[in-house]
Amino acid sequence: MMSHAAYVFTSYGIATLTVLGLIGWVVLDGRARRRELAELEASGIRRRSAEPASGETR
Amino acid sequence: MSENSLAIRKFSDLANPTRFLALADRLLPWLAGLTAVFFVVGLWLSFATEGDYQQGETVRIMYVHVPAAWLSMMCYSVMALAALGTLVWRHPLADVSSRAAAPIGACFTFLALVTGSLWGKPMWGTWWVWDARLTSVFVLFLMYLGLMALNRAIDDPARSSKVSAVLVLVGFVNIPIIKFSVEWWNTLHQPASVMRLDGPTIDPEFLWPLIVMAVAFTLLFFTLHIAAMRNEILRRRVTALRRLAARSAGRGARTK
């Protein structure tokens, strides 16, 4: 049988780990996608709307 | 131009992913900062306030458990709205929003279940019972996992968006079941003590940390959701560009 404080700290501990994990996943996912886009752009592949003089009227 | 049509134009401007990305980049630092401030104050209040005369220290679990449980339902409601956006208005960002929200909702539901279990053991004497509230929240958790699996199983968002949206809307029936389960059935879980028509029945000593933590969790949800939506837009761009590259490489090979 754990003490009451142990239940409280386990709860906050698991909550902290879950939230940090979620934040870490979102940040790393974003970085990886930006890197992929940069690599594609470096190899000369661009979105039509990002190309100069693509005739887009905006 | 009338104010109303201006508001509509602003909303439809958001349908342009490039504008959304610009807005997200501007908003995110502020949202993240505000979230951190609310968490610092909320956590301080959570441990600075007194324990309950019956529950002792374990009442502090409430400040994580209740906001996580609220957010697990709010996240699904956001997904249901997004599903309507996909099916009715065909808003281009609706599917992005729904898809980005699912893992976040799954995490909050997981937290609600685990902290509830850790609170149940010392207070009820059991980790888990299959009462209506606990079971319906467990079903919500499974639905989030199912939707994530479905979104991963169908690569092409153009094809998965409608199936996923219909499933989200069908699953929405579970949200009122969760909310009212404690009134409709005899559950071990207590009935609502904050969101009541006759006002909260909870002591102000516990209400304040709870409200601040609820705001902190809500801000955290929106921060993560906007960031995850941005990631999803970037992911789709990468896929589209790779397809474009493959097509032009194929064309190049033929002309040689």
Side-chain angles (χ1 to χ4, degrees), chain B residues 10 16-17 23 36 41 71 77 99 129 131 144 195 226 248:
Chain B
K10 284 257 180 267
N16 180 334
L23 187 73
V41 177
L71 262 290
S77 308
R99 201 180 257 244
V129 282
D131 83 359
Y144 277 125
M195 301 277 205
I226 292 174
S248 57

Side-chain angles (χ1 to χ4, degrees), chain A residues 4 7-8 10-12 14-15 18-19 22-23 25-26 29-30 33-34 36-37 40 45-47 58, chain B residues 19 46-47 57 60-61 63-64 107 111 114 118 121-122 224 227 230-231 234-235 237-238 241 245:
Chain A
H4 280 183
Y7 286 107
V8 175
T10 315
S11 297
Y12 278 80
I14 292 175
T18 311
V19 168
L22 198 55
I23 294 172
W25 168 69
V26 168
D29 188 35
R33 300 293 84 80
R34 278 184 202 278
E36 283 173 353
L37 273 178
L40 282 163
I45 300 150
R46 272 195 192 87
R47 301 175 65 235
R58 202 170 261 279
Chain B
R19 292 215 183 145
S46 300
F47 286 96
E57 296 296 311
R60 304 194 198 287
I61 296 176
Y63 309 134
V64 178
C107 281
L111 269 187
V114 170
L118 281 162
K121 184 62 185 165
L224 286 172
R230 185 190 60 189
N231 292 350
L234 295 179
R235 192 182 347 269
R237 283 196 176 167
V238 168
L241 281 181

